[in-house]
Amino acid sequence: MNTPLNWRLKRLHYLLRRIAGSVAQRGLGGTMARIAQEFRPRAISAPTWTLESPEQAFAPFTLPASDTPLVSVIIPVYGKLPYTLACLRSIARHGAQTPFEVIIVDDASPDAGVETLGQIGGLRLLENAQNLGFIGSCNAGASAARGSYLLFLNNDTQVTPGWLDRLLDCFREEPGCGIAGSRLVYPDGRLQEAGAIIFSNADGWNYGRFEQPDDPKFLYRRDTDYISGASLMIETALFRQIHGFDVRYAPAYYEDTDLAFAVRGAGKRVIYQPESLIIHFEGITSGTDLQAGVKQYQVVNKSKFAQKWAQVLESQPAPNTPAARAIHHDRRPHILILDALTPDASRDSGSLRLINIMRLLGEMGWRVSFMADNRVASHDEICQLGRLGVHTLCKPWSPSLARWLTGERDTLQAVMLCRHYVATPNLDLVRRLTPRAKVIFDTVDLHFLRERRAAEHTTNKAIASQANASYRRELALIRACDVTLVVSPVEQALLSQEAPDAKVELLSNVHEVFGRNAGFAERKDMVFIGGFGHPPNVDAVNWLISDIYPRIRAARPDMALHLIGDIPEAERLKLSGEGVHIHGRVADIEPWMRGCRVALAPLRYGAGVKGKVNMAMSHGLPVVATSIAAEGMQLHHGDNILVGDDADSFASSVLRLYDDEALWLRLSDRGLDNIRQHFSFSAAREALRRALPPL
């Protein structure tokens, strides 16, 4: 039985063989630390996957298969039938959303595997007349492939959910993606590789080897020097354009490294995709002895690679460069973003804005690190930011802000501090430890303005006092930082009076234009979006339920009201009533954006711009709002929005819009135009260029 313990003992010989090379590359201290890491008690969680046992007796099964595959999965095989069968069973178990085919290339195996493999349904089986080696078999499989993409997969691997689809995401979402590769783990749960590094002497290093696979530093997409051929996806046309795996490396080793360099030479990127997780029984197929068998070509082919790519290797990191620095040797500008909480687009509009800013920074060539002030982030949040190429710094994985800044002070060109209550206690630390970084203060909205308006609305002296304190803090920050971001032209104009010497840039909400997915007649009901974590929303919902909705329901009892956002259970009981549907926070608001006829924004105080208004308009859903809710958004009553500032006028506007198709269509079209003109990615990109340091 190939238990994790037995498997680790088998690897001991391999590890000892690597020590000499590791000492040369990492130094004695680094090598001893790596050995200790290998054998010390592990603090990582047990693997979450279930392995297919190579010991399982064979019974025929069928693979998912398509006659018109988008992806061709190519698995070269030379013996080791039990591992091949386990690999295929894992593919049969997990499948993929993408249509694919599986091609086994049997390289004149010495066992009777062909007869067994021939009993598996949905499998395309190619047989080499003579042994061609790994490279020859991969190229033969690629020649026979029908898919637009090739996924090379070792036969000593097992796949997990999303293994194929998440690789394909890189080609859909990452401009210029040429190769995408998986996060590789050992069967016992340790990380095997999170992309790989090539040093200037042509030595390779698997980044993250033996570390914990769920450390956030391994959970974000990034460009890498090369991807292991154990799980590597490439566009078929590109693979053929660069003539496949270079046969000078036959039978195997350095061919995947060479392919990555050739892909970059063709102007494409090589991307590590952590969401594609593959278990790899390293060494099963080719062994671990560098002095014997196929493995000996690893040494031979290194010199061939070094000769072929001598000029390119000059720009690679020098040997002994720490791996954490070597993976970023492309010297992309680096920015740290510090906010109160890890952003979650389903929670609030500020999160959506920050996520879209991060997306833009990545597109503009920046490397983004993010830390919440409480250093808390869930695994899902880490992965969501990881899709944008953002490294999340959080407990228990990363050090304190002070320690992290000390280690990264030479890499940071900018630091963005979000919200005054986060920026105030951290500004001096950032200035002291990263004196060369440009400090950007993102107000999110001017808190003192919102609090002033709340005080005026409630005549609460305590809130008025709090607003004055916020005013002093925010103005001090604005003067102390290099540039300040505001979301509303109203706030920008206010600061031009209050802090005329400060550099203030308008960077408003950022939205995709989704468009109108359903017509007037296909819709019904009304929707309000906003959680109770934001006091203006609490007041708005209470006013809506107590004064506005009764007027609407008296005229049209068929019009239901949908409330979306975090609402405490005690408040839900108070708000419940005929026609009121409370949904709480939802992962996807699109069903309400498509199905409702009117969006409501009855805010009576606040500041900034209102994401609930932007979001509805980005879906072509017309909005009825108060003047405060429409402030700073270039909106005009009767043109692209309807405005009502008391319960009667608000309810009348809703009823008018609900039954006037021509008005509804005009507001829908012009609302979409408003988003394109004022809240687009292109507008935000220009604002970021003005705010960021020149590079």
Side-chain angles (χ1 to χ4, degrees):
M1 182 81 177
N2 193 50
T3 65
L5 177 61
N6 289 335
W7 178 83
R8 290 181 69 189
L9 291 174
K10 289 178 182 179
R11 292 199 71 259
L12 176 59
H13 181 252
Y14 174 48
L15 178 67
L16 294 175
R17 287 282 188 179
R18 289 178 62 96
I19 287 177
S22 179
V23 170
Q25 182 168 303
R26 299 172 61 86
L28 182 59
T31 299
M32 297 307 295
R34 179 53 60 89
I35 293 173
Q37 186 179 45
E38 167 73 9
F39 290 105
R40 70 173 178 246
R42 293 182 297 118
I44 61 176
S45 303
T48 57
W49 53 80
T50 301
L51 289 174
E52 301 288 339
S53 172
E55 308 289 334
Q56 180 177 328
F58 175 74
F61 58 94
T62 299
L63 292 169
S66 171
D67 292 331
T68 56
L70 183 61
V71 178
S72 295
V73 181
I74 298 169
I75 306 175
V77 169
Y78 180 74
K80 307 299 181 184
L81 177 63
Y83 285 89
T84 303
L85 293 174
C87 174
L88 295 175
R89 282 196 298 269
S90 74
I91 294 174
R93 171 190 287 192
H94 298 298
Q97 294 178 340
T98 303
F100 69 97
E101 64 176 352
V102 177
I103 301 173
I104 288 281
V105 183
D106 185 83
D107 197 23
S109 294
D111 57 20
V114 170
E115 290 78 4
T116 301
L117 293 170
Q119 300 177 56
I120 299 173
L123 178 67
R124 292 183 63 195
L125 180 58
L126 306 181
E127 299 179 55
N128 294 339
Q130 59 186 26
N131 186 272
L132 301 179
F134 179 84
I135 291 174
S137 295
C138 285
N139 287 341
S143 296
R146 297 176 295 181
S148 299
Y149 297 87
L150 310 174
L151 173 50
F152 295 100
L153 193 67
N154 277 14
N155 71 321
D156 57 353
T157 62
Q158 293 190 27
V159 307
T160 66
W163 61 289
L164 184 152
D165 297 308
R166 301 293 76 79
L167 289 177
L168 197 59
D169 287 346
C170 289
F171 292 89
R172 293 167 172 160
E173 299 168 2
E174 297 289 341
C177 179
I179 286 177
S182 304
R183 179 167 46 125
L184 303 180
V185 295
Y186 291 111
D188 65 0
R190 295 170 304 158
L191 183 65
Q192 181 183 126
E193 177 187 312
I197 302 164
I198 285 291
F199 295 95
S200 58
N201 64 352
D203 277 339
W205 193 258
N206 304 120
Y207 181 56
R209 183 178 287 269
F210 304 142
E211 296 194 45
Q212 302 186 51
D214 288 335
D215 187 324
K217 68 184 177 183
F218 306 125
L219 294 180
Y220 65 96
R221 291 185 198 172
R222 55 177 169 76
D223 288 39
T224 190
D225 287 345
Y226 75 94
I227 293 296
S228 169
S231 177
L232 180 158
M233 183 180 283
I234 184 172
E235 195 170 5
T236 305
L238 177 60
F239 186 78
R240 292 171 181 170
Q241 173 190 326
I242 59 179
H243 308 296
F245 287 117
D246 191 335
V247 295
R248 79 182 70 188
Y249 301 104
Y253 289 103
Y254 270 85
E255 75 287 335
D256 46 10
T257 316
D258 177 87
L259 186 73
F261 275 57
V263 162
R264 273 193 299 276
K268 298 288 188 176
R269 298 166 60 197
V270 178
I271 298 174
Y272 161 67
Q273 166 58 298
E275 292 187 283
S276 171
L277 180 69
I278 299 291
I279 302 108
H280 185 204
F281 294 76
E282 185 184 51
I284 293 298
T285 301
S286 300
T288 59
D289 191 343
L290 294 174
Q291 308 302 319
V294 175
K295 194 74 175 177
Q296 66 184 305
Y297 288 95
Q298 186 170 335
V299 177
V300 174
N301 286 346
K302 173 188 167 182
S303 61
K304 294 180 182 179
F305 176 83
Q307 183 177 7
K308 178 178 178 180
W309 297 102
Q311 186 173 354
V312 178
L313 286 169
E314 292 176 2
S315 62
Q316 293 296 116
N320 298 320
T321 301
R325 291 294 177 90
I327 59 165
H328 297 302
H329 67 84
D330 57 2
R331 295 183 177 87
R332 297 176 71 195
H334 187 191
I335 184 171
L336 169 68
I337 299 176
L338 185 66
D339 199 357
L341 302 172
T342 301
D344 179 350
S346 70
R347 183 180 64 231
D348 58 80
S349 64
S351 287
L352 177 61
R353 173 178 173 270
L354 183 57
I355 286 169
N356 284 335
I357 287 173
M358 291 178 180
R359 177 179 288 114
L360 279 169
L361 286 167
E363 292 174 2
M364 294 166 66
W366 283 78
R367 173 161 67 98
V368 182
S369 297
F370 172 82
M371 181 184 288
D373 196 41
N374 61 4
R375 293 180 54 228
V376 172
S378 69
H379 181 77
D380 286 346
E381 289 169 340
I382 291 166
C383 292
Q384 287 170 8
L385 294 186
R387 292 179 197 124
L388 305 178
V390 176
H391 177 193
T392 300
L393 307 166
C394 62
K395 301 173 184 177
W397 312 98
S398 64
S400 67
L401 176 62
R403 284 184 57 199
W404 187 86
L405 288 173
T406 300
E408 296 290 337
R409 62 186 302 159
D410 295 331
T411 75
L412 284 168
Q413 284 76 43
V415 177
M416 181 186 293
L417 303 173
C418 305
R419 306 173 206 272
H420 76 87
Y421 54 84
V422 173
T424 297
N426 290 300
L427 178 59
D428 288 345
L429 181 70
V430 169
R431 285 294 197 196
R432 186 174 75 253
L433 296 181
T434 60
R436 295 186 295 176
K438 188 171 188 178
V439 179
I440 301 166
F441 172 38
D442 182 20
T443 62
V444 182
D445 65 18
L446 286 176
H447 286 56
F448 79 80
L449 181 60
R450 171 159 49 84
E451 289 166 352
R452 277 182 183 175
R453 289 172 171 175
E456 292 168 0
H457 177 67
T458 61
T459 65
N460 186 310
K461 292 182 179 180
I463 297 177
S465 177
Q466 180 179 323
N468 289 333
S470 296
Y471 171 81
R472 292 190 295 271
R473 283 194 298 268
E474 285 187 282
L475 265 291
L477 277 167
I478 289 165
R479 294 186 177 104
C481 292
D482 298 311
V483 63
T484 294
L485 304 178
V486 294
V487 299
S488 163
V490 171
E491 295 179 349
Q492 188 178 36
L494 176 61
L495 291 182
S496 71
Q497 298 175 354
E498 301 286 347
D501 295 332
K503 183 179 180 181
V504 180
E505 294 289 349
L506 175 63
L507 202 171
S508 197
N509 288 351
V510 188
H511 289 272
E512 296 182 45
V513 180
F514 297 99
R516 188 171 59 233
N517 293 322
F520 176 85
E522 302 168 67
R523 300 167 179 262
K524 64 177 183 176
D525 301 340
M526 303 160 290
V527 61
F528 172 90
I529 303 172
F532 271 38
H534 189 53
N537 286 336
V538 180
D539 177 76
V541 171
N542 284 322
W543 185 43
L544 177 60
I545 294 296
S546 64
D547 292 339
I548 298 172
Y549 187 53
R551 287 169 165 81
I552 295 172
R553 190 164 178 81
R556 289 290 302 269
D558 60 314
M559 290 172 59
L561 172 62
H562 299 271
L563 303 179
I564 296 175
D566 284 326
I567 300 177
E569 188 61 34
E571 297 297 326
R572 291 189 182 207
L573 295 174
K574 296 177 186 177
L575 298 171
S576 296
E578 287 293 325
V580 179
H581 303 279
I582 303 174
H583 302 281
R585 190 196 298 191
V586 298
D588 182 10
I589 65 169
E590 200 275 337
W592 289 272
M593 296 293 96
R594 182 185 66 246
C596 289
R597 190 175 290 180
V598 181
L600 309 179
L603 301 174
R604 294 192 286 186
Y605 68 92
V609 298
K610 310 307 178 290
K612 58 177 59 63
V613 175
N614 291 140
M615 180 58 70
M617 289 185 172
S618 73
H619 286 269
L621 177 59
V623 178
V624 177
T626 58
S627 297
I628 285 291
E631 181 184 68
M633 303 174 70
Q634 295 79 35
L635 297 172
H636 305 284
H637 176 69
D639 177 55
N640 45 23
I641 196 168
L642 293 186
V643 176
D645 286 322
D646 58 70
D648 280 332
S649 63
F650 198 100
S652 296
S653 292
V654 172
L655 291 167
R656 174 189 170 199
L657 178 60
Y658 199 82
D659 290 321
D660 189 334
E661 183 172 4
L663 173 64
W664 190 93
L665 288 169
R666 183 171 76 248
L667 266 58
S668 174
D669 289 339
R670 293 181 182 176
L672 286 165
D673 289 341
N674 177 269
I675 299 299
R676 293 187 187 100
Q677 185 173 355
H678 301 292
F679 302 99
S680 66
F681 279 82
S682 60
R685 187 179 294 109
E686 291 307 310
L688 281 172
R689 285 201 178 103
R690 293 191 298 269
L692 293 166
L695 301 172

Short mmCIF file of all heavy atoms in Angstrom, two decimals, residues 550-590:
data_model
loop_
_atom_site.label_atom_id
_atom_site.label_comp_id
_atom_site.label_asym_id
_atom_site.label_seq_id
_atom_site.Cartn_x
_atom_site.Cartn_y
_atom_site.Cartn_z
N PRO A 550 -45.88 51.99 2.51
CA PRO A 550 -47.35 51.98 2.70
C PRO A 550 -48.09 52.82 1.67
O PRO A 550 -49.20 52.45 1.24
CB PRO A 550 -47.51 52.56 4.11
CG PRO A 550 -46.24 52.21 4.81
CD PRO A 550 -45.18 52.33 3.76
N ARG A 551 -47.52 53.94 1.24
CA ARG A 551 -48.16 54.76 0.21
C ARG A 551 -48.18 54.03 -1.13
O ARG A 551 -49.18 54.09 -1.87
CB ARG A 551 -47.40 56.09 0.07
CG ARG A 551 -47.62 57.06 1.22
CD ARG A 551 -46.64 58.23 1.14
NE ARG A 551 -47.03 59.35 1.99
CZ ARG A 551 -46.80 59.41 3.30
NH1 ARG A 551 -46.18 58.39 3.90
NH2 ARG A 551 -47.19 60.46 4.00
N ILE A 552 -47.09 53.34 -1.45
CA ILE A 552 -47.04 52.58 -2.71
C ILE A 552 -48.03 51.42 -2.66
O ILE A 552 -48.80 51.20 -3.61
CB ILE A 552 -45.60 52.07 -2.95
CG1 ILE A 552 -44.64 53.24 -3.17
CG2 ILE A 552 -45.57 51.12 -4.14
CD1 ILE A 552 -43.18 52.85 -3.22
N ARG A 553 -48.04 50.73 -1.56
CA ARG A 553 -48.88 49.53 -1.46
C ARG A 553 -50.37 49.89 -1.45
O ARG A 553 -51.20 49.11 -1.94
CB ARG A 553 -48.50 48.74 -0.22
CG ARG A 553 -49.14 47.37 -0.17
CD ARG A 553 -48.48 46.46 0.84
NE ARG A 553 -49.15 45.18 0.91
CZ ARG A 553 -48.96 44.17 0.05
NH1 ARG A 553 -48.10 44.31 -0.93
NH2 ARG A 553 -49.61 43.04 0.18
N ALA A 554 -50.67 51.06 -0.93
CA ALA A 554 -52.08 51.48 -0.95
C ALA A 554 -52.58 51.65 -2.37
O ALA A 554 -53.76 51.37 -2.67
CB ALA A 554 -52.23 52.79 -0.17
N ALA A 555 -51.70 52.09 -3.26
CA ALA A 555 -52.09 52.29 -4.66
C ALA A 555 -51.93 51.02 -5.48
O ALA A 555 -52.74 50.76 -6.39
CB ALA A 555 -51.25 53.42 -5.28
N ARG A 556 -50.87 50.26 -5.18
CA ARG A 556 -50.57 49.06 -5.96
C ARG A 556 -50.18 47.92 -5.02
O ARG A 556 -49.00 47.67 -4.77
CB ARG A 556 -49.44 49.35 -6.95
CG ARG A 556 -49.81 50.28 -8.10
CD ARG A 556 -50.75 49.59 -9.10
NE ARG A 556 -50.17 48.39 -9.64
CZ ARG A 556 -49.43 48.35 -10.77
NH1 ARG A 556 -49.21 49.46 -11.45
NH2 ARG A 556 -48.96 47.23 -11.22
N PRO A 557 -51.14 47.20 -4.46
CA PRO A 557 -50.81 46.13 -3.51
C PRO A 557 -50.05 44.96 -4.14
O PRO A 557 -49.54 44.11 -3.42
CB PRO A 557 -52.19 45.68 -3.00
CG PRO A 557 -53.16 46.17 -4.02
CD PRO A 557 -52.59 47.41 -4.61
N ASP A 558 -49.97 44.94 -5.48
CA ASP A 558 -49.24 43.85 -6.15
C ASP A 558 -47.74 44.11 -6.20
O ASP A 558 -46.97 43.23 -6.60
CB ASP A 558 -49.77 43.68 -7.58
CG ASP A 558 -49.60 44.94 -8.41
OD1 ASP A 558 -49.94 46.04 -7.90
OD2 ASP A 558 -49.14 44.85 -9.57
N MET A 559 -47.28 45.32 -5.83
CA MET A 559 -45.86 45.65 -5.93
C MET A 559 -45.12 45.22 -4.66
O MET A 559 -45.28 45.81 -3.60
CB MET A 559 -45.67 47.16 -6.17
CG MET A 559 -46.13 47.61 -7.55
SD MET A 559 -46.13 49.42 -7.74
CE MET A 559 -44.41 49.81 -7.42
N ALA A 560 -44.31 44.17 -4.78
CA ALA A 560 -43.55 43.66 -3.64
C ALA A 560 -42.23 44.43 -3.51
O ALA A 560 -41.72 45.02 -4.47
CB ALA A 560 -43.27 42.18 -3.81
N LEU A 561 -41.68 44.41 -2.30
CA LEU A 561 -40.41 45.09 -1.99
C LEU A 561 -39.39 44.05 -1.56
O LEU A 561 -39.64 43.26 -0.64
CB LEU A 561 -40.63 46.11 -0.88
CG LEU A 561 -39.37 46.78 -0.31
CD1 LEU A 561 -38.63 47.57 -1.37
CD2 LEU A 561 -39.74 47.67 0.88
N HIS A 562 -38.23 44.06 -2.20
CA HIS A 562 -37.14 43.12 -1.88
C HIS A 562 -36.01 43.88 -1.21
O HIS A 562 -35.51 44.88 -1.75
CB HIS A 562 -36.64 42.44 -3.14
CG HIS A 562 -37.69 41.64 -3.85
ND1 HIS A 562 -37.95 40.32 -3.56
CD2 HIS A 562 -38.59 41.99 -4.82
CE1 HIS A 562 -38.93 39.88 -4.32
NE2 HIS A 562 -39.35 40.88 -5.10
N LEU A 563 -35.58 43.42 -0.04
CA LEU A 563 -34.48 44.02 0.70
C LEU A 563 -33.29 43.07 0.67
O LEU A 563 -33.40 41.91 1.08
CB LEU A 563 -34.88 44.29 2.15
CG LEU A 563 -36.11 45.19 2.37
CD1 LEU A 563 -36.39 45.33 3.86
CD2 LEU A 563 -35.90 46.55 1.73
N ILE A 564 -32.15 43.57 0.18
CA ILE A 564 -30.94 42.75 0.05
C ILE A 564 -29.82 43.39 0.84
O ILE A 564 -29.54 44.59 0.69
CB ILE A 564 -30.54 42.59 -1.43
CG1 ILE A 564 -31.63 41.83 -2.18
CG2 ILE A 564 -29.21 41.88 -1.56
CD1 ILE A 564 -31.39 41.72 -3.67
N GLY A 565 -29.17 42.63 1.69
CA GLY A 565 -28.06 43.12 2.50
C GLY A 565 -28.15 42.56 3.91
O GLY A 565 -29.19 42.02 4.32
N ASP A 566 -27.04 42.68 4.65
CA ASP A 566 -27.02 42.18 6.02
C ASP A 566 -28.00 42.95 6.90
O ASP A 566 -27.84 44.16 7.10
CB ASP A 566 -25.60 42.31 6.60
CG ASP A 566 -24.66 41.25 6.05
OD1 ASP A 566 -25.12 40.13 5.80
OD2 ASP A 566 -23.47 41.55 5.88
N ILE A 567 -29.00 42.26 7.41
CA ILE A 567 -29.98 42.86 8.32
C ILE A 567 -30.11 41.93 9.53
O ILE A 567 -30.44 40.76 9.38
CB ILE A 567 -31.36 43.05 7.64
CG1 ILE A 567 -31.23 43.95 6.41
CG2 ILE A 567 -32.37 43.62 8.62
CD1 ILE A 567 -32.52 44.13 5.63
N PRO A 568 -29.80 42.43 10.73
CA PRO A 568 -29.88 41.57 11.93
C PRO A 568 -31.27 40.96 12.09
O PRO A 568 -32.28 41.56 11.69
CB PRO A 568 -29.55 42.53 13.07
CG PRO A 568 -28.78 43.65 12.44
CD PRO A 568 -29.34 43.78 11.05
N GLU A 569 -31.30 39.80 12.72
CA GLU A 569 -32.57 39.07 12.87
C GLU A 569 -33.61 39.90 13.62
O GLU A 569 -34.80 39.90 13.25
CB GLU A 569 -32.32 37.75 13.60
CG GLU A 569 -33.54 36.83 13.64
CD GLU A 569 -34.00 36.43 12.23
OE1 GLU A 569 -33.15 36.27 11.34
OE2 GLU A 569 -35.24 36.28 12.05
N ALA A 570 -33.19 40.62 14.65
CA ALA A 570 -34.15 41.42 15.41
C ALA A 570 -34.77 42.50 14.54
O ALA A 570 -35.97 42.80 14.64
CB ALA A 570 -33.46 42.05 16.62
N GLU A 571 -33.97 43.09 13.66
CA GLU A 571 -34.48 44.12 12.76
C GLU A 571 -35.39 43.52 11.69
O GLU A 571 -36.35 44.15 11.26
CB GLU A 571 -33.32 44.87 12.10
CG GLU A 571 -32.44 45.63 13.07
CD GLU A 571 -33.19 46.74 13.77
OE1 GLU A 571 -34.10 47.33 13.14
OE2 GLU A 571 -32.90 47.00 14.94
N ARG A 572 -35.07 42.32 11.27
CA ARG A 572 -35.93 41.66 10.27
C ARG A 572 -37.36 41.51 10.78
O ARG A 572 -38.32 41.69 10.03
CB ARG A 572 -35.36 40.28 9.91
CG ARG A 572 -34.06 40.31 9.13
CD ARG A 572 -33.73 38.92 8.64
NE ARG A 572 -32.46 38.89 7.92
CZ ARG A 572 -32.16 38.00 6.97
NH1 ARG A 572 -33.05 37.09 6.64
NH2 ARG A 572 -30.99 38.03 6.37
N LEU A 573 -37.47 41.15 12.04
CA LEU A 573 -38.81 40.97 12.61
C LEU A 573 -39.59 42.27 12.59
O LEU A 573 -40.80 42.29 12.33
CB LEU A 573 -38.69 40.45 14.05
CG LEU A 573 -38.09 39.03 14.19
CD1 LEU A 573 -37.89 38.68 15.66
CD2 LEU A 573 -38.97 38.00 13.50
N LYS A 574 -38.91 43.39 12.84
CA LYS A 574 -39.58 44.69 12.83
C LYS A 574 -39.98 45.09 11.41
O LYS A 574 -41.01 45.75 11.21
CB LYS A 574 -38.66 45.76 13.41
CG LYS A 574 -38.30 45.57 14.87
CD LYS A 574 -37.32 46.66 15.31
CE LYS A 574 -36.82 46.43 16.72
NZ LYS A 574 -35.82 47.46 17.12
N LEU A 575 -39.16 44.71 10.43
CA LEU A 575 -39.39 45.16 9.06
C LEU A 575 -40.36 44.27 8.30
O LEU A 575 -40.90 44.67 7.26
CB LEU A 575 -38.06 45.21 8.30
CG LEU A 575 -36.99 46.17 8.85
CD1 LEU A 575 -35.67 45.94 8.14
CD2 LEU A 575 -37.43 47.61 8.69
N SER A 576 -40.56 43.08 8.77
CA SER A 576 -41.40 42.12 8.04
C SER A 576 -42.84 42.62 7.94
O SER A 576 -43.36 43.28 8.84
CB SER A 576 -41.38 40.76 8.75
OG SER A 576 -40.07 40.22 8.73
N GLY A 577 -43.45 42.30 6.84
CA GLY A 577 -44.84 42.68 6.64
C GLY A 577 -45.32 42.22 5.28
O GLY A 577 -44.56 41.62 4.49
N GLU A 578 -46.56 42.48 4.97
CA GLU A 578 -47.13 42.07 3.69
C GLU A 578 -46.34 42.70 2.55
O GLU A 578 -46.13 43.92 2.52
CB GLU A 578 -48.59 42.50 3.60
CG GLU A 578 -49.54 41.69 4.46
CD GLU A 578 -49.65 40.25 3.98
OE1 GLU A 578 -49.59 40.03 2.76
OE2 GLU A 578 -49.79 39.35 4.82
N GLY A 579 -45.89 41.87 1.62
CA GLY A 579 -45.20 42.35 0.43
C GLY A 579 -43.72 42.60 0.61
O GLY A 579 -43.03 42.91 -0.36
N VAL A 580 -43.19 42.47 1.84
CA VAL A 580 -41.77 42.73 2.11
C VAL A 580 -41.01 41.40 2.14
O VAL A 580 -41.34 40.51 2.94
CB VAL A 580 -41.58 43.48 3.44
CG1 VAL A 580 -40.09 43.70 3.71
CG2 VAL A 580 -42.32 44.81 3.42
N HIS A 581 -40.01 41.28 1.28
CA HIS A 581 -39.19 40.06 1.21
C HIS A 581 -37.75 40.42 1.59
O HIS A 581 -37.10 41.21 0.91
CB HIS A 581 -39.22 39.47 -0.19
CG HIS A 581 -40.61 39.15 -0.69
ND1 HIS A 581 -41.27 38.00 -0.34
CD2 HIS A 581 -41.45 39.86 -1.48
CE1 HIS A 581 -42.47 37.99 -0.91
NE2 HIS A 581 -42.60 39.11 -1.61
N ILE A 582 -37.27 39.85 2.69
CA ILE A 582 -35.93 40.15 3.19
C ILE A 582 -35.02 38.98 2.83
O ILE A 582 -35.20 37.86 3.32
CB ILE A 582 -35.96 40.39 4.71
CG1 ILE A 582 -36.93 41.53 5.03
CG2 ILE A 582 -34.56 40.72 5.21
CD1 ILE A 582 -37.13 41.75 6.52
N HIS A 583 -34.02 39.24 1.98
CA HIS A 583 -33.16 38.17 1.47
C HIS A 583 -31.80 38.10 2.15
O HIS A 583 -31.10 37.11 2.00
CB HIS A 583 -32.95 38.36 -0.04
CG HIS A 583 -34.22 38.39 -0.83
ND1 HIS A 583 -34.92 37.25 -1.17
CD2 HIS A 583 -34.94 39.43 -1.33
CE1 HIS A 583 -36.01 37.58 -1.85
NE2 HIS A 583 -36.05 38.91 -1.96
N GLY A 584 -31.42 39.16 2.90
CA GLY A 584 -30.09 39.18 3.49
C GLY A 584 -29.02 39.37 2.44
O GLY A 584 -29.29 39.77 1.31
N ARG A 585 -27.77 39.07 2.82
CA ARG A 585 -26.68 39.18 1.85
C ARG A 585 -26.76 38.02 0.87
O ARG A 585 -26.97 36.87 1.27
CB ARG A 585 -25.33 39.16 2.54
CG ARG A 585 -24.18 39.52 1.59
CD ARG A 585 -22.82 39.15 2.12
NE ARG A 585 -22.48 39.83 3.36
CZ ARG A 585 -21.26 39.81 3.89
NH1 ARG A 585 -20.29 39.13 3.29
NH2 ARG A 585 -21.02 40.43 5.03
N VAL A 586 -26.59 38.31 -0.41
CA VAL A 586 -26.65 37.28 -1.44
C VAL A 586 -25.34 37.28 -2.22
O VAL A 586 -24.66 38.30 -2.33
CB VAL A 586 -27.84 37.50 -2.41
CG1 VAL A 586 -29.15 37.43 -1.65
CG2 VAL A 586 -27.72 38.84 -3.13
N ALA A 587 -24.98 36.11 -2.73
CA ALA A 587 -23.73 36.00 -3.48
C ALA A 587 -23.82 36.67 -4.85
O ALA A 587 -22.82 37.15 -5.39
CB ALA A 587 -23.35 34.52 -3.64
N ASP A 588 -25.03 36.71 -5.41
CA ASP A 588 -25.21 37.25 -6.76
C ASP A 588 -26.51 38.04 -6.80
O ASP A 588 -27.59 37.49 -6.58
CB ASP A 588 -25.24 36.10 -7.77
CG ASP A 588 -25.37 36.58 -9.21
OD1 ASP A 588 -25.25 37.80 -9.45
OD2 ASP A 588 -25.59 35.73 -10.10
N ILE A 589 -26.41 39.35 -7.06
CA ILE A 589 -27.62 40.18 -7.10
C ILE A 589 -28.26 40.22 -8.48
O ILE A 589 -29.31 40.83 -8.67
CB ILE A 589 -27.32 41.63 -6.64
CG1 ILE A 589 -26.36 42.31 -7.63
CG2 ILE A 589 -26.79 41.66 -5.23
CD1 ILE A 589 -26.23 43.79 -7.39
N GLU A 590 -27.65 39.55 -9.45
CA GLU A 590 -28.13 39.62 -10.82
C GLU A 590 -29.60 39.22 -10.98
O GLU A 590 -30.33 39.87 -11.75
CB GLU A 590 -27.24 38.76 -11.74
CG GLU A 590 -27.32 39.11 -13.20
CD GLU A 590 -28.47 38.41 -13.92
OE1 GLU A 590 -28.92 37.36 -13.40
OE2 GLU A 590 -28.90 38.91 -14.97
#
